[in-house]
Amino acid sequence: MTPDRAWVIIDNDLSGDPGDLFRTALHLMSPSVAIPLIVGSHLPKGGGVDPSGYHAGNAAGRVQPLLTVMG
């Protein structure tokens, strides 16, 4: 990582709104940021688009294919 890049930690409920994955992809493509960590937040059970109560695990399952495709 070069010093001219801002470090960004993404903290989102990635298993909810599909737009969150698009925003994550945009951050990953940005040459001005380095992303050392992506956190899949947990929401209250029944909240948001994912009513499962397993938001953090589901977020990891959704963001991992994105990271694989983007290298």
Side-chain angles (χ1 to χ4, degrees):
M1 283 181 252
T2 61
D4 57 338
R5 295 176 77 185
W7 283 43
V8 174
I9 295 174
I10 297 174
D11 180 4
N12 207 314
D13 72 328
L14 299 158
S15 74
D17 178 2
D20 297 336
L21 291 173
F22 287 105
R23 284 185 284 280
T24 300
L26 290 173
H27 276 95
L28 291 169
M29 292 187 302
S30 174
S32 63
V33 299
I35 302 169
L37 184 66
I38 297 175
V39 177
S41 298
H42 183 75
L43 299 174
K45 189 172 182 178
V49 178
D50 179 356
S52 70
Y54 300 101
H55 301 112
N58 291 343
R62 291 192 178 177
V63 79
Q64 191 59 49
L66 174 69
L67 296 173
T68 299
V69 167
M70 296 189 73

